[in-house]
Amino acid sequence: AAVRDAETAYSIGREIADPKDRALISLGLARALDASGRDHERARALAQEAAAIYGAYPRSPRDERDLARARRVIGGRAGR
């Protein structure tokens, strides 16, 4: 259910103008895929997409936390 809900949010979120909101949605799907053990390659690609967005803009503490989460998915350590 988590992956399905994240997929729905990702589909809708592609049209959101704010890049950091899109990054948050991409990261949510990446984490859901990673936690489910499904499609690790896609999870890493989505996390890389989110990390690139976070890297391109000034970051709040929440953004820093989410960037660290994206890096854990990219590195294959999301659950650790």
Side-chain angles (χ1 to χ4, degrees), residues 19-75:
K20 285 194 201 177
D21 288 342
R22 287 196 318 269
L24 185 62
I25 292 167
S26 295
L27 179 57
L29 178 53
R31 293 180 73 208
L33 287 168
D34 194 67
S36 74
R38 295 164 43 188
D39 206 348
H40 292 291
E41 223 174 281
R42 183 167 179 227
R44 280 191 289 278
L46 289 162
Q48 288 171 337
E49 176 184 313
I53 292 170
Y54 287 127
Y57 294 91
R59 292 183 295 278
S60 69
R62 185 189 93 178
D63 296 337
E64 291 289 349
R65 179 200 67 201
D66 290 339
L67 178 57
R69 288 177 172 167
R71 288 178 175 154
R72 284 194 297 272
V73 173
I74 294 164

